[in-house]
């Protein structure tokens, strides 16, 4: 009788609240959001999971009963956990969004590991899926590295087939360059491929639920489970085109929103403790070494930038763009990056960052039009960074970029608009995982844009990811595409391959 009465009251409450969600009558399994690892060092990496029995629960807490939960974890040298080398327990609770970040230490450099989590004991214990991860090679090691880059996975615009195909490539490392989630509400586009729960994300609960919905996707889970990720955000983890304290759409409560968004960002990704936000501030930029083969400089081009020039009008031009006082990185990060160039002894220096670094005139014809949200809106910053790596004698600078929902390959020039200027670096821009839907091979103005920007060597507007194979002698870049994301099952193909040779910046078509 009590149960029946409770059920009726519950049904009435739901009816009264209108759109609120019915709590699950029978709680589901607790590991619905997969596992992930990130930021590998020589002695360990971050291991992550998040508990949720009802991922879409309104309060963002995944239908977890209130109160702490002890989560057990273990790391093994084999996929069957025959040789467990470390284990421990880590509590989580509502304050942590039922997320778990574990950082084992004392692992061996340069090798594969497997990890999993467990809740409960005995016959009712629940076991997570297994993740594969690895430690970074020891200093001095050259070896080789397969690294994939991703960006822009707008859930409602496409299935995550590209994440699945990336997992099948079994890379050593994945760099996520931003727009891992989108904040938009479910009604913002016509004919979505699938629906996001709720309206535009504004509160901590909204962002937590949005991440939970993304993490429930099996293709996304496969991509996390295959390799450690290095994650940076771009704008949509918080709000469209935010710049420092300024959102694109005026909002007096923006810093509170930013704090909530960044808290959920940290909770939901395998980020190191150093990236735990403090209110609206986060130390996102950081550096990782992969033996002596590669150094990765992960940048934050959102938090410290000045507001976009030219009224942030896409394809525009104005004198403000080239004002050397304007900054994309902020002075502290810029000094840190230039110092990193001077200290680097890596064979390859990779910049993992959000927005297009090379100049691109996007307006066909005599008129010039730039993207003021990219480095083209902060030309002084670009000049200082490129001059900085050149002066430091960085052996092989390669910029990895996201944001623009298309593959691009470009040669970074010491000066643009001067055909004789030397090529001083290489930029590889990865297309979106899902944003933009199926896409097209080319756009109507592609041929003209490429002709007017001779340092830009490749463009493709399908969905996909970038795969690189890095050895001491060369870096091979494969632009991977899937032909559709509006229905399942697309295969992946390499639409173009380029080789960058040691000490020879620039692109050689395979
Ligand atoms: Fe995007
Ligand atoms: Ca033009």
């Amino acid at each position: 009788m009590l149960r029946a009465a409770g059920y009726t009251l519950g049904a009435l409450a739901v009816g009264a609240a209108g759109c609120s969600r019915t709590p699950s009558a029978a709680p589901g399994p607790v590991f619905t959001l997969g596992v992930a690892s990130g930021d590998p060092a020589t002695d360990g990496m971050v291991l992550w999971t998040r508990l949720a029995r009802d991922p879409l629960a309104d309060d963002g807490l995944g239908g977890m009963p209130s109160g702490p939960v002890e989560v057990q974890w273990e790391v093994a040298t084999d996929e069957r956990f025959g040789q467990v080398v470390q284990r421990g327990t880590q509590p989580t609770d509502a304050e942590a969004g039922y997320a778990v970040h574990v950082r084992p230490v004392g692992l061996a450099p340069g090798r594969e590991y497997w990890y999993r989590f467990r809740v409960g004991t005995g016959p009712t214990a629940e076991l997570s899926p297994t993740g594969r991860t690895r430690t970074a090679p020891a200093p001095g090691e050259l070896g080789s590295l397969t690294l994939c880059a991703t960006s822009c996975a707008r859930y409602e615009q496409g299935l995550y087939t590209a994440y699945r195909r990336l997992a099948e490539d079994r890379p050593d490392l994945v760099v996520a360059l931003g727009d891992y989630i989108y904040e938009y509400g479910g009604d913002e586009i016509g004919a979505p491929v699938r629906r996001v729960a709720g309206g535009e994300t504004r509160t901590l609960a909204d962002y937590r639920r949005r991440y939970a919905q993304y993490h429930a996707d099996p293709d996304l889970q496969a991509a996390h489970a295959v390799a450690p990720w290095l994650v940076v955000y771009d704008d949509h983890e918080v709000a469209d085109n935010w710049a420092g304290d300024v959102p694109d759409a005026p909002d007096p409560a923006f810093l509170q929103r930013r704090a909530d968004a960044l808290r959920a960002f940290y909770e939901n990704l395998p980020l190191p403790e150093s990236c735990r936000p403090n209110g609206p501030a986060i130390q996102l930029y950081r550096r990782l070494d992969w033996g002596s083969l590669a150094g990765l400089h992960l940048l934050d081009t959102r938090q410290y930038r000045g507001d976009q020039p030219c009224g942030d009008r896409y394809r525009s031009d104005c004198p403000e763009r080239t004002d050397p006082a304007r900054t994309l990185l902020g002075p502290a990060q810029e000094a840190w990056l230039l110092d990193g160039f001077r200290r680097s002894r890596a064979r390859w220096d990779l910049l993992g960052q959000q927005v297009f670094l090379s100049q691109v005139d996007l307006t066909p014809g005599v008129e010039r039009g730039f993207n003021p949200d990219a480095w083209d809106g902060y030309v002084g910053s670009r000049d200082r960074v490129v001059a900085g790596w050149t002066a430091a004698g960085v052996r092989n600078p390669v910029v990895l970029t996201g944001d623009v929902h298309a593959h691009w390959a470009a040669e970074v020039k010491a000066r643009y608009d001067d055909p004789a200027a030397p090529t001083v670096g290489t930029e590889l821009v990865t297309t979106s995982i899902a944003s933009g839907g199926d896409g097209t091979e080319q756009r109507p103005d592609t041929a003209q844009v490429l002709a007017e920007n001779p340092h830009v060597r490749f463009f493709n507007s399908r969905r996909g990811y970038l795969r690189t194979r890095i050895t001491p002698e060369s870096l091979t870049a494969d632009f991977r595409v899937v032909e559709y994301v509006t229905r399942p099952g697309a295969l992946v193909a390499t639409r173009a391959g380029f080789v960058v040779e040691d000490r020879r910046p620039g692109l050689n078509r395979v």
Side-chain angles (χ1 to χ4, degrees):
M1 273 192 69
L2 279 173
R3 181 180 294 177
Y7 181 80
T8 306
L9 282 173
L12 281 173
V14 169
C19 59
S20 104
R21 187 182 163 81
T22 318
S24 302
V30 80
F31 290 109
T32 53
L33 305 184
V35 300
S37 68
D39 278 47
T42 54
D43 68 335
M45 72 298 288
V46 178
L47 307 178
W48 173 94
T49 192
R50 178 182 162 198
L51 311 178
R53 296 194 185 278
D54 178 13
L56 299 187
D58 278 343
D59 62 2
L61 293 175
M64 296 298 294
S66 56
V69 180
E70 288 287 327
V71 181
Q72 305 151 55
W73 56 271
E74 54 188 359
V75 177
T77 52
D78 65 308
E79 198 165 2
R80 295 178 169 196
F81 292 85
Q83 293 288 327
V84 173
V85 290
Q86 285 202 29
R87 54 164 54 98
T89 62
Q90 175 91 12
T92 186
D93 57 14
E95 183 67 16
Y98 289 98
V100 179
H101 290 74
V102 173
R103 174 60 164 83
V105 292
L107 300 179
R111 66 154 300 153
E112 263 181 320
Y113 288 96
W114 284 264
Y115 62 96
R116 62 186 179 186
F117 300 88
R118 184 184 282 109
V119 165
T121 52
T124 59
E126 294 176 76
L127 196 60
S128 78
T130 294
R132 167 187 177 250
T133 188
R134 56 191 314 132
T135 46
E141 292 288 325
L142 277 169
S144 65
L145 164 66
T146 299
L147 173 149
C148 288
T150 69
S151 75
C152 297
R154 189 165 173 182
Y155 185 89
E156 61 272 37
Q157 289 189 326
L159 305 176
Y160 290 162
T161 311
Y163 276 146
R164 172 68 61 178
R165 300 298 173 237
L166 177 155
E168 291 164 357
D169 281 345
R170 294 182 73 78
D172 301 312
L173 207 50
V174 177
V175 187
L177 297 169
D179 292 359
Y180 181 92
I181 62 156
Y182 281 70
E183 80 281 22
Y184 297 122
D187 301 325
E188 298 211 13
I189 55 167
V193 174
R194 46 188 178 168
R195 288 206 166 272
V196 286
E200 182 165 335
T201 53
R202 295 185 178 281
T203 66
L204 178 59
D206 295 339
Y207 284 103
R208 281 173 165 169
R209 177 167 68 169
R210 184 61 53 86
Y211 279 104
Q213 186 169 19
Y214 277 55
H215 277 300
D217 183 283
D219 295 331
L220 182 146
Q221 291 188 12
H224 277 301
V226 79
W229 283 41
L230 307 173
V231 181
V232 291
Y233 54 55
D234 190 25
D235 54 331
H236 289 289
E237 285 85 352
V238 179
D240 186 31
N241 276 9
W242 67 284
D245 300 346
V246 186
D248 199 44
D251 176 4
F254 178 66
L255 282 183
Q256 182 58 51
R257 182 182 185 183
R258 193 175 110 182
D260 289 338
L262 295 180
R263 180 170 166 182
F265 169 72
Y266 173 79
E267 287 174 355
N268 281 281
L269 287 158
L271 290 161
E273 178 65 30
S274 61
C275 293
R276 185 189 287 277
N278 179 11
I282 184 171
Q283 175 66 50
L284 185 70
Y285 65 84
R286 60 201 192 275
R287 193 170 282 127
L288 278 102
D289 292 321
W290 197 261
S292 291
L293 181 69
L296 288 116
H297 312 262
L298 301 172
L299 305 186
D300 179 348
T301 61
R302 286 286 159 200
Q303 193 177 184
Y304 315 107
R305 66 158 76 193
D307 199 10
Q308 290 90 350
C310 321
D312 199 10
R313 284 186 315 281
Y314 186 70
R315 299 206 292 201
S316 58
D317 197 5
C318 62
E320 192 190 356
R321 234 173 35 85
T322 54
D323 176 355
R326 304 185 67 260
T327 181
L328 188 67
L329 299 179
Q333 181 178 199
E334 184 177 305
W336 167 88
L337 181 59
L338 297 183
D339 183 57
F341 290 149
R342 287 188 288 267
R343 290 167 184 271
S344 174
R345 298 290 173 269
R347 182 65 54 97
W348 299 89
D349 277 86
L350 310 175
L351 278 69
Q353 59 97 43
Q354 293 78 15
V355 290
F356 220 122
L357 181 117
S358 304
Q359 175 177 297
V360 190
D361 169 14
L362 295 157
T363 301
V366 191
E367 214 181 308
R368 307 211 310 168
F370 301 97
N371 179 2
D373 186 60
W375 291 79
D376 266 338
Y378 304 79
V379 170
S381 273
R382 175 170 65 210
D383 289 347
R384 290 190 295 274
V385 166
V386 174
W389 83 47
T390 305
V394 168
R395 183 159 167 170
N396 292 302
V398 177
V399 182
L400 304 175
T401 303
D403 181 48
V404 287
H405 308 175
H407 283 314
W408 298 75
E411 299 185 330
V412 179
K413 308 297 279 188
R415 294 175 305 284
Y416 295 91
D417 309 324
D418 171 5
T423 296
V424 294
T426 312
E427 181 168 21
L428 304 167
V429 182
T430 185
T431 191
S432 55
I433 291 290
S435 304
D438 288 343
T440 54
E441 293 293 321
Q442 301 294 313
R443 293 178 192 150
D445 63 359
T446 298
Q448 212 173 341
V449 168
L450 292 178
E452 288 178 19
N453 297 273
H455 60 285
V456 178
R457 301 283 305 284
F458 177 69
F459 172 85
N460 181 282
S461 193
R462 292 280 188 213
R463 307 289 73 84
Y465 57 94
L466 171 72
R467 184 181 67 192
T468 65
R469 178 75 182 161
I470 305 171
T471 72
E473 295 78 35
S474 66
L475 180 153
T476 304
D478 294 325
F479 288 96
R480 306 281 276 164
V481 301
V482 293
E483 295 214 346
Y484 50 88
V485 292
T486 54
R487 55 191 202 280
L491 301 178
V492 68
T494 296
R495 193 57 91 237
F498 291 89
V499 173
V500 186
E501 290 169 5
D502 179 31
R503 295 191 192 277
R504 289 190 53 207
L507 296 156
N508 304 285
R509 187 95 184 217
V510 175

